[in-house]
Amino acid sequence: MIALFKANPLLLLFIVAAVGYWVGSIKIRGTGLGVAAVLFVGLAFGALDPSLRVSELVIFLGLGIFVYTVALQSGPAFFTSLRRHGFRDIGFVFLMLVLSAAATASLHYLLGFDAATTAGLFSGISTNTPALAGLIDLINYSIEDGSEGLSQLAVVGYSLGYPMGVLGVMLTIKLMERWLRIDYAQEAEALQHQYPIQQSLERITVKVTQKSAIGITLRDLHQRHGWKVMFGRMKREETITLPNWDTQLQEQDLLNVVAAPQELKKIIDHLGEKEEVPLSQESSQFMTKRLFVSNPEVAGERLASLNIPEQFSAQITRIQRGDIDLHATGDTILELGDQVRVVTRKTDLPGLQKLFGDSYERLSHINLLSFGSGMAIGLLVGMITFQLTDEIGFRLGFAGGPLIVGLILGYLRRTGPIVWTMSYSTNLTLRQFGLMLLLAGVGINSGHTFLSTLQGGHGGLIFAAGAVISILSASLLLFLGYKLLKIPFTMLIGMVSNQPAILDFAMDQSKNKLPMVGFTLMMPITMITKILIVQILFIILGGG
């Protein structure tokens, strides 16, 4: 079997992915490793024989695809969060990284490690491959004799620190959420106005009976109470129409209302009472339809710019993006794959279908021009060397370059005719594929080094030191961030997710996508900071 895997590394790669996915799906008391299991299954397979390896290109390809697609989807949320309180969060995480480096240096002197091993260990527990690459570059540049041996020691430290950099943080998240009694659903509800990551919209019919609402326009009511609401069709006596913001309410009007459950209660109090028999969605003139946004000409455009009320007798009541229902406002920016729920006059339906595209098959196609161009720009940015001193410099690498470019392009959404974003399903598929390549490749290539080092010499001490630093650092960040700075725990577990497997685990625990906001906010800063700290650590500890 080993001979078969040696001759067919791609076969090994996909077997590791399949077995890892199965292992990750096993739940013990409601908790599983998720996609992170692919990494640990890869370590097990790689430990069987030192010649079991996959190409480094596979790992870098997976890393680049994963971080680019995550950044592309998270770009708008990243810049929104950065404007609100990003500098506070960045300063806090920077301080935590410095404290983590100080703890690493303390164990260095306590346990008698060499500088290369300690710096490699720090890059491993922070799961930062670019930091390891920068360390090796520094060793080769500053050490004339024995650089190869020091580089190998750095890789050993990295290999022993990496598993606990993943598993230690995951364990800490689980322990801290129980200790602090975290209610993820409550946090998501409190933050849904800032980050629309998990909205649930409902439709009801309201009968207007409140005297204070009669004769008032929908626009005035909306502005007076600040409702996040969309109004669908309206029945007055026996006539069904589509209201607009200038429609004045009359007593006994029946009005379809779309809003979040907690918002609906306020609306009922101010308008009248909930009608037990909802106003029919179909009539001789009007119908309700979900339309797919597959036309690239409207992707990246604001709803207001489409001038739908001027062209059609139609009302967009909500937009579904992935599993999230979004309020449809004039400022809502459409993305490929959105499902637009529209109430329209039947004769206007063909025109709306032409406007939005409404082709599911078209959504399944990847725009290779935008995807390939974005990835290429990201990789080029990652190749740039930023030289701080004669000895210390860094490159963003295969992760940092695509990450930063993806954040910018995701925020821009489109430039001229090029739409940078992609449909939710396409983005998710590429992201999972990239993550599978990354975790399986890293696990297979590190497995034998991990096992042999663990069995001999100081391997056990290095591994234990990595566990202590990883768990201590994550615990401090989660506790102080939550208790002292009042940062939502759901955001914090994204900030502490220094590896894609941890991010996936964090989202699985929270059952929402808020950790991704924390991850993308911190990732560019922490990546650069870790690259610098690893090199500074090596020099201070006497390696350079």
Side-chain angles (χ1 to χ4, degrees), residues 101 115-116 118-124 126 128 130-136 138 528-540:
T118 303
L121 175 65
F122 184 82
S123 65
S126 61
N128 195 308
L132 176 65
L135 174 62
I136 293 174
L138 175 63
I528 295 171
T529 304
K530 288 172 185 175
I531 292 172
L532 296 176
I533 286 178
V534 165
Q535 297 184 45
I536 294 171
L537 196 62
F538 177 73
I539 294 172
I540 291 177

Short mmCIF file of all heavy atoms in Angstrom, two decimals, residues 101 115-116 118-124 126 128 130-136 138 528-540:
data_model
loop_
_atom_site.label_atom_id
_atom_site.label_comp_id
_atom_site.label_asym_id
_atom_site.label_seq_id
_atom_site.Cartn_x
_atom_site.Cartn_y
_atom_site.Cartn_z
N ALA A 101 5.01 35.79 22.46
CA ALA A 101 6.43 35.70 22.14
C ALA A 101 7.28 35.73 23.41
O ALA A 101 8.29 35.02 23.52
CB ALA A 101 6.83 36.85 21.21
N ALA A 115 18.02 28.77 19.53
CA ALA A 115 17.23 29.88 18.98
C ALA A 115 16.40 29.46 17.77
O ALA A 115 15.25 29.88 17.62
CB ALA A 115 18.16 31.04 18.62
N ALA A 116 16.98 28.65 16.88
CA ALA A 116 16.27 28.24 15.67
C ALA A 116 15.03 27.41 16.01
O ALA A 116 13.96 27.59 15.43
CB ALA A 116 17.20 27.46 14.73
N THR A 118 13.34 27.42 18.86
CA THR A 118 12.34 28.26 19.54
C THR A 118 11.59 29.14 18.55
O THR A 118 10.36 29.25 18.62
CB THR A 118 13.02 29.14 20.59
OG1 THR A 118 13.73 28.31 21.52
CG2 THR A 118 12.00 29.98 21.34
N ALA A 119 12.33 29.78 17.62
CA ALA A 119 11.66 30.63 16.62
C ALA A 119 10.77 29.79 15.72
O ALA A 119 9.66 30.21 15.34
CB ALA A 119 12.71 31.38 15.80
N GLY A 120 11.24 28.59 15.35
CA GLY A 120 10.42 27.68 14.55
C GLY A 120 9.19 27.24 15.31
O GLY A 120 8.11 27.10 14.74
N LEU A 121 9.35 27.00 16.62
CA LEU A 121 8.22 26.61 17.45
C LEU A 121 7.15 27.70 17.47
O LEU A 121 5.95 27.41 17.37
CB LEU A 121 8.71 26.33 18.87
CG LEU A 121 7.64 26.01 19.93
CD1 LEU A 121 6.94 24.70 19.59
CD2 LEU A 121 8.27 25.94 21.32
N PHE A 122 7.57 28.95 17.59
CA PHE A 122 6.61 30.05 17.60
C PHE A 122 5.86 30.15 16.27
O PHE A 122 4.65 30.39 16.25
CB PHE A 122 7.31 31.38 17.91
CG PHE A 122 6.36 32.53 18.05
CD1 PHE A 122 5.70 32.75 19.25
CD2 PHE A 122 6.11 33.38 16.98
CE1 PHE A 122 4.82 33.82 19.38
CE2 PHE A 122 5.23 34.44 17.11
CZ PHE A 122 4.58 34.66 18.31
N SER A 123 6.57 29.98 15.17
CA SER A 123 5.90 30.00 13.86
C SER A 123 4.95 28.82 13.73
O SER A 123 3.91 28.92 13.06
CB SER A 123 6.93 30.01 12.72
OG SER A 123 7.67 28.81 12.70
N GLY A 124 5.28 27.68 14.38
CA GLY A 124 4.42 26.51 14.33
C GLY A 124 3.15 26.68 15.13
O GLY A 124 2.05 26.39 14.64
N SER A 126 1.74 29.35 15.91
CA SER A 126 0.92 30.38 15.26
C SER A 126 0.49 29.95 13.86
O SER A 126 -0.16 30.72 13.16
CB SER A 126 1.70 31.71 15.18
OG SER A 126 2.87 31.57 14.42
N ASN A 128 1.91 29.72 11.09
CA ASN A 128 2.22 30.74 10.09
C ASN A 128 3.39 30.27 9.23
O ASN A 128 4.56 30.46 9.58
CB ASN A 128 2.56 32.06 10.80
CG ASN A 128 2.54 33.24 9.85
OD1 ASN A 128 3.18 33.21 8.82
ND2 ASN A 128 1.77 34.26 10.21
N PRO A 130 4.39 31.44 6.23
CA PRO A 130 5.25 32.54 5.79
C PRO A 130 6.27 32.98 6.84
O PRO A 130 7.38 33.40 6.50
CB PRO A 130 4.24 33.67 5.49
CG PRO A 130 2.98 32.97 5.16
CD PRO A 130 2.96 31.76 6.05
N ALA A 131 5.90 32.88 8.12
CA ALA A 131 6.85 33.23 9.18
C ALA A 131 8.02 32.26 9.19
O ALA A 131 9.18 32.66 9.37
CB ALA A 131 6.14 33.24 10.53
N LEU A 132 7.75 30.97 8.99
CA LEU A 132 8.82 29.97 8.91
C LEU A 132 9.71 30.24 7.70
O LEU A 132 10.94 30.16 7.79
CB LEU A 132 8.23 28.56 8.82
CG LEU A 132 9.24 27.43 8.65
CD1 LEU A 132 10.15 27.31 9.87
CD2 LEU A 132 8.53 26.11 8.37
N ALA A 133 9.07 30.58 6.57
CA ALA A 133 9.85 30.88 5.37
C ALA A 133 10.74 32.09 5.58
O ALA A 133 11.91 32.11 5.17
CB ALA A 133 8.89 31.12 4.19
N GLY A 134 10.20 33.11 6.26
CA GLY A 134 11.01 34.29 6.56
C GLY A 134 12.16 33.97 7.50
O GLY A 134 13.26 34.51 7.35
N LEU A 135 11.93 33.08 8.45
CA LEU A 135 12.98 32.66 9.38
C LEU A 135 14.10 31.93 8.65
O LEU A 135 15.29 32.20 8.89
CB LEU A 135 12.38 31.77 10.48
CG LEU A 135 13.37 31.12 11.45
CD1 LEU A 135 14.13 32.18 12.23
CD2 LEU A 135 12.64 30.17 12.40
N ILE A 136 13.74 31.02 7.77
CA ILE A 136 14.75 30.28 7.00
C ILE A 136 15.56 31.22 6.11
O ILE A 136 16.78 31.08 5.98
CB ILE A 136 14.07 29.16 6.18
CG1 ILE A 136 13.49 28.10 7.13
CG2 ILE A 136 15.05 28.52 5.21
CD1 ILE A 136 12.67 27.04 6.44
N LEU A 138 16.16 34.34 6.78
CA LEU A 138 17.05 35.07 7.67
C LEU A 138 18.25 34.22 8.06
O LEU A 138 19.39 34.71 8.08
CB LEU A 138 16.27 35.50 8.93
CG LEU A 138 17.09 36.18 10.03
CD1 LEU A 138 17.68 37.50 9.52
CD2 LEU A 138 16.22 36.41 11.27
N ILE A 528 1.52 39.61 9.26
CA ILE A 528 2.72 40.44 9.14
C ILE A 528 3.45 40.52 10.48
O ILE A 528 4.69 40.41 10.54
CB ILE A 528 2.33 41.85 8.65
CG1 ILE A 528 1.76 41.78 7.22
CG2 ILE A 528 3.53 42.80 8.69
CD1 ILE A 528 1.16 43.07 6.74
N THR A 529 2.69 40.68 11.57
CA THR A 529 3.30 40.78 12.90
C THR A 529 4.06 39.52 13.26
O THR A 529 5.17 39.56 13.81
CB THR A 529 2.21 41.08 13.95
OG1 THR A 529 1.50 42.26 13.58
CG2 THR A 529 2.85 41.28 15.31
N LYS A 530 3.46 38.36 12.97
CA LYS A 530 4.12 37.09 13.29
C LYS A 530 5.40 36.91 12.49
O LYS A 530 6.40 36.40 13.01
CB LYS A 530 3.15 35.93 13.02
CG LYS A 530 2.01 35.83 14.01
CD LYS A 530 0.99 34.80 13.56
CE LYS A 530 -0.22 34.77 14.47
NZ LYS A 530 -1.26 33.84 13.96
N ILE A 531 5.39 37.30 11.23
CA ILE A 531 6.60 37.19 10.41
C ILE A 531 7.74 37.99 11.03
O ILE A 531 8.89 37.52 11.11
CB ILE A 531 6.32 37.68 8.97
CG1 ILE A 531 5.36 36.71 8.25
CG2 ILE A 531 7.61 37.80 8.17
CD1 ILE A 531 4.87 37.22 6.90
N LEU A 532 7.42 39.19 11.51
CA LEU A 532 8.44 40.05 12.11
C LEU A 532 8.88 39.52 13.48
O LEU A 532 10.08 39.49 13.79
CB LEU A 532 7.91 41.47 12.26
CG LEU A 532 7.58 42.21 10.94
CD1 LEU A 532 6.96 43.57 11.24
CD2 LEU A 532 8.83 42.36 10.09
N ILE A 533 7.93 39.09 14.31
CA ILE A 533 8.26 38.62 15.65
C ILE A 533 9.16 37.39 15.60
O ILE A 533 10.11 37.26 16.39
CB ILE A 533 6.96 38.32 16.45
CG1 ILE A 533 6.29 39.62 16.85
CG2 ILE A 533 7.27 37.47 17.69
CD1 ILE A 533 4.98 39.43 17.60
N VAL A 534 8.90 36.47 14.68
CA VAL A 534 9.71 35.26 14.58
C VAL A 534 11.17 35.61 14.30
O VAL A 534 12.09 35.06 14.91
CB VAL A 534 9.15 34.32 13.49
CG1 VAL A 534 10.17 33.25 13.12
CG2 VAL A 534 7.87 33.66 13.98
N GLN A 535 11.40 36.55 13.39
CA GLN A 535 12.77 36.93 13.04
C GLN A 535 13.43 37.69 14.18
O GLN A 535 14.62 37.48 14.49
CB GLN A 535 12.77 37.77 11.76
CG GLN A 535 12.24 36.98 10.55
CD GLN A 535 12.32 37.77 9.26
OE1 GLN A 535 13.33 38.41 8.96
NE2 GLN A 535 11.24 37.74 8.48
N ILE A 536 12.68 38.59 14.83
CA ILE A 536 13.22 39.33 15.96
C ILE A 536 13.54 38.39 17.11
O ILE A 536 14.58 38.51 17.78
CB ILE A 536 12.23 40.43 16.41
CG1 ILE A 536 12.09 41.49 15.31
CG2 ILE A 536 12.68 41.07 17.72
CD1 ILE A 536 10.98 42.50 15.56
N LEU A 537 12.67 37.41 17.33
CA LEU A 537 12.88 36.43 18.38
C LEU A 537 14.17 35.64 18.15
O LEU A 537 14.97 35.42 19.08
CB LEU A 537 11.68 35.48 18.43
CG LEU A 537 11.49 34.60 19.68
CD1 LEU A 537 11.28 35.47 20.91
CD2 LEU A 537 10.30 33.66 19.49
N PHE A 538 14.40 35.25 16.91
CA PHE A 538 15.61 34.49 16.57
C PHE A 538 16.87 35.31 16.85
O PHE A 538 17.85 34.81 17.41
CB PHE A 538 15.56 34.10 15.09
CG PHE A 538 16.79 33.38 14.61
CD1 PHE A 538 17.05 32.07 14.98
CD2 PHE A 538 17.69 34.02 13.77
CE1 PHE A 538 18.18 31.41 14.52
CE2 PHE A 538 18.83 33.37 13.31
CZ PHE A 538 19.06 32.06 13.69
N ILE A 539 16.83 36.59 16.51
CA ILE A 539 18.00 37.47 16.72
C ILE A 539 18.22 37.72 18.21
O ILE A 539 19.36 37.64 18.71
CB ILE A 539 17.81 38.80 15.96
CG1 ILE A 539 17.80 38.54 14.45
CG2 ILE A 539 18.91 39.79 16.33
CD1 ILE A 539 17.45 39.76 13.62
N ILE A 540 17.16 38.02 18.96
CA ILE A 540 17.29 38.32 20.39
C ILE A 540 17.80 37.11 21.17
O ILE A 540 18.61 37.25 22.11
CB ILE A 540 15.94 38.79 20.96
CG1 ILE A 540 15.58 40.18 20.39
CG2 ILE A 540 15.96 38.82 22.49
CD1 ILE A 540 14.23 40.69 20.83
#
